Amino acid sequence: MLEDTPRKILRVLYHLYQQNWVRPDIARVSQFSQRSEKRVREAIKALRVAGFVEIAEGKLRILKPDVLEPEPEKTVEPPPPKSPYGLGAWFD
């Protein structure tokens, strides 16, 4: 799983550019992700090393958008049983 900043940058890149070859606007990505331009560049390098983006001739393309899918929901515990003592709506 990716760390927070690269994951957020990947999400922003995907929503801005989909899987097209583009020259990303680092300032715009920085604004949307609320990260500095330096951190955006570092995150893009980390995404490239991890194999999530491909860079060729100064253009970028997302390879694996499946990371953007939400994680499976956790099981929800059933609520505790109600009190057998008629306490009304005070503690139910």
Side-chain angles (χ1 to χ4, degrees), residues 35-49:
R35 303 291 196 267
S36 68
E37 290 186 16
K38 179 182 176 186
R39 289 186 68 187
V40 169
R41 292 178 199 282
E42 291 171 357
I44 290 174
K45 287 178 186 176
L47 290 169
R48 182 180 184 188
V49 169

Side-chain angles (χ1 to χ4, degrees), residues 13-67:
L13 288 170
Y14 181 75
H15 288 292
L16 285 175
Y17 306 116
Q18 301 295 318
Q19 292 179 320
N20 301 320
W21 284 100
V22 295
R23 292 184 191 272
D25 182 3
I26 300 296
R28 187 172 183 201
V29 174
S30 173
Q31 179 183 6
F32 283 131
S33 65
Q34 298 179 348
R35 303 291 196 267
S36 68
E37 290 186 16
K38 179 182 176 186
R39 289 186 68 187
V40 169
R41 292 178 199 282
E42 291 171 357
I44 290 174
K45 287 178 186 176
L47 290 169
R48 182 180 184 188
V49 169
F52 289 99
V53 298
E54 183 178 9
I55 299 175
E57 299 177 12
K59 294 185 178 182
L60 176 137
R61 179 176 70 147
I62 297 173
L63 298 175
K64 298 180 183 177
D66 56 336
V67 170

Side-chain angles (χ1 to χ4, degrees), residues 50-92:
F52 289 99
V53 298
E54 183 178 9
I55 299 175
E57 299 177 12
K59 294 185 178 182
L60 176 137
R61 179 176 70 147
I62 297 173
L63 298 175
K64 298 180 183 177
D66 56 336
V67 170
L68 303 177
E69 297 296 321
E71 294 182 9
E73 294 183 17
K74 296 179 182 178
T75 57
V76 178
E77 296 181 23
K82 293 191 175 187
S83 173
Y85 307 104
L87 299 176
W90 287 90
F91 300 104
D92 288 340

